[in-house]
Amino acid sequence: SQTASSRTDIRDCSTDPPYLPPTATDTTARLAALRATMRTHHVDAYIVPSTDAHMSEYISEWDARLGWLTGFTGSAGTVVVTQDKAALWTDSRYWTQAERQLDCNWELQRTTWVESIGLWIVEAVPVAGNVSLDPFLFSIDTWASYSQALQGSGRTLLPLEINLVDEVWGDQRPPVATSEIYSLPEAFIGSSWQEKVAGIRQQMEQHSRDPTAVLLSGLEETAWLFNLRGDDIPYNPVFYSYTLLTHTSISLFVDEARLSASARESLQAECPGDLCVELLGYGQARAHLHRYAQGNVTIWLGTEYTNYGLYGVIPQEKLLEESYSPVMLAKAVKNTKEQDLLRAAHVRDAVAVIQYLLWLEKMVPRGLVDEFSGAQHIDALRKAQQHSHGPSFQSISASG
């Protein structure tokens, strides 16, 4: 077995100078810039997660802050930066990848527990120090875990509404999505959005707590409710949005300019009235929610997908909290038409897989296929099937 020091594909920080493979990213300038911004804001430690404001499993390039700051491109991780230290926590799927992509500015912590991150912070940050994060990038539960981990330690958990990574990323940051948000074709709609809204309003009426509004933060919730689709995030047909649904109004927070003409028409066909969708800017969600929460209201939300930045503007006594919103649960139950559509999609996919297995039987013995070309080929076969809109994740291909 190779000793770590003789491997050339991973970093070795014990030598002088340290050895870095060509896959490692030089993060010295990025860290220096972030630390300068932290000093300006009196921040002693800054936490950067790998998610977006909707707790999405996959994120767009626009939201890949952790990847830009560290060079590490794995899908799951948490980073903490202080004035003299920087550490990445990630799970065992990514330890080798991290050793290939990180430079020696970074410590790799081989765990993902908030408790271990908390202990590290308490050791690295002096008493009375400020530990900051962007409240829009942490779920309610994750925020609570950090709060608990630092409780009684003398360190303050300080939410900062401006994102410090974005400040230093500046004009190098990839552009935000601009592609069209479109209506799902009639053939693929299980029920109209008006029927779905009526169903959710009925659930609001029947709930013992009598909620006056439902807040939707998960991107697939809004996409499902209005039968709309987009391409903002790879492998996921969703678009950046929030929805606030009351008994008499519907507010959709989205970049209105991106809606196709037919999508806009479908949303505003019933205006004015309680099935008229009011279009508001994506960035206005928090201010609007804050105003709404001043009234005599009860806001129903799913804690799994709602970020702390939005949650924090609603007074505790006006919250109805469940793990999943009624929309997430309704979406999980498919009607007969949707079931038929699912089965038909699986048949088309099975055809592509059978074609692939046949191709492999011919090509592999001739030594003409490797893991990468194999993955490309099955992607092409799937794409050739009618109605294909791309895979739901990057094909994971392995042999041997």
Side-chain angles (χ1 to χ4, degrees), residues 24-253:
T25 300
D26 179 356
T27 62
T28 304
R30 296 170 193 186
L31 277 169
L34 178 61
R35 284 170 172 146
T37 306
M38 285 165 60
R39 287 193 295 275
T40 308
H41 293 279
H42 310 292
V43 169
D44 299 286
Y46 193 61
I47 310 173
V48 183
S50 55
T51 186
D52 63 14
H54 307 273
M55 308 302 116
S56 306
E57 181 187 0
Y58 289 74
I59 57 171
S60 70
E61 290 289 306
W62 160 259
D63 274 314
R65 296 172 181 89
L66 186 146
W68 175 77
L69 184 65
T70 62
F72 170 72
T73 57
S75 69
T78 303
V79 148
V80 182
V81 176
T82 66
Q83 284 303 328
D84 55 356
K85 287 181 158 176
L88 165 74
W89 284 258
T90 190
D91 64 78
S92 56
R93 291 175 300 169
Y94 292 121
W95 292 343
T96 304
Q97 182 177 335
E99 295 286 9
R100 288 175 179 162
Q101 293 184 318
L102 297 176
D103 65 8
C104 290
N105 288 311
W106 296 92
E107 299 170 19
L108 175 60
Q109 302 285 338
R110 294 167 193 264
T111 163
T112 55
W113 293 340
V114 169
E115 292 78 26
S116 88
I117 301 175
L119 287 169
W120 187 94
I121 289 172
V122 168
E123 211 164 285
V125 173
V127 175
N130 286 329
V131 180
S132 269
L133 44 73
D134 178 342
F136 294 93
L137 297 181
F138 288 82
S139 70
I140 298 163
D141 291 347
T142 311
W143 169 273
S145 305
Y146 279 103
S147 198
Q148 182 142 22
L150 296 173
Q151 203 174 7
S153 72
R155 282 90 181 154
T156 309
L157 195 57
L158 184 74
L160 266 189
E161 307 233 332
I162 53 164
N163 187 293
L164 300 188
V165 176
D166 296 352
E167 291 269 289
V168 297
W169 202 352
D171 56 8
Q172 289 185 354
R173 190 176 182 190
V176 71
T178 53
S179 58
E180 189 174 70
I181 299 165
Y182 56 94
S183 293
L184 206 53
E186 193 57 48
F188 296 102
I189 292 175
S191 21
S192 72
W193 71 257
Q194 290 90 340
E195 289 167 331
K196 292 177 181 179
V197 164
I200 301 303
R201 282 177 170 160
Q202 196 179 349
Q203 286 195 52
M204 289 162 67
E205 274 165 31
Q206 291 165 352
H207 199 289
S208 59
R209 287 274 317 274
D210 219 19
T212 60
V214 176
L215 173 67
L216 305 180
S217 289
L219 296 182
E220 64 271 45
E221 298 183 294
T222 290
W224 177 84
L225 184 64
F226 296 114
N227 294 322
L228 296 175
R229 296 293 184 267
D231 293 300
D232 293 11
I233 292 179
Y235 309 113
N236 292 267
V238 295
F239 50 92
Y240 287 114
S241 55
Y242 295 100
T243 299
L244 188 69
L245 172 67
T246 75
H247 288 296
T248 54
S249 68
I250 310 166
S251 303
L252 169 58
F253 302 89

Side-chain angles (χ1 to χ4, degrees), residues 314-377:
I314 308 167
Q316 197 62 46
E317 69 278 6
K318 297 180 181 182
L319 276 164
L320 166 55
E321 296 177 53
E322 288 174 5
S323 292
Y324 298 99
S325 80
V327 168
M328 201 58 102
L329 296 178
K331 170 182 169 292
V333 181
K334 307 299 181 192
N335 63 29
T336 314
K337 182 179 174 184
E338 289 165 330
Q339 290 177 32
D340 290 342
L341 287 165
L342 275 169
R343 291 189 186 101
H346 277 283
V347 170
R348 293 193 299 273
D349 191 66
V351 171
V353 174
I354 292 164
Q355 290 172 327
Y356 181 57
L357 293 173
L358 191 66
W359 180 81
L360 282 180
E361 278 176 27
K362 285 183 189 154
M363 303 303 269
V364 170
R366 288 156 58 186
L368 291 175
V369 58
D370 59 27
E371 290 173 355
F372 185 64
S373 65
Q376 285 184 304
H377 191 69

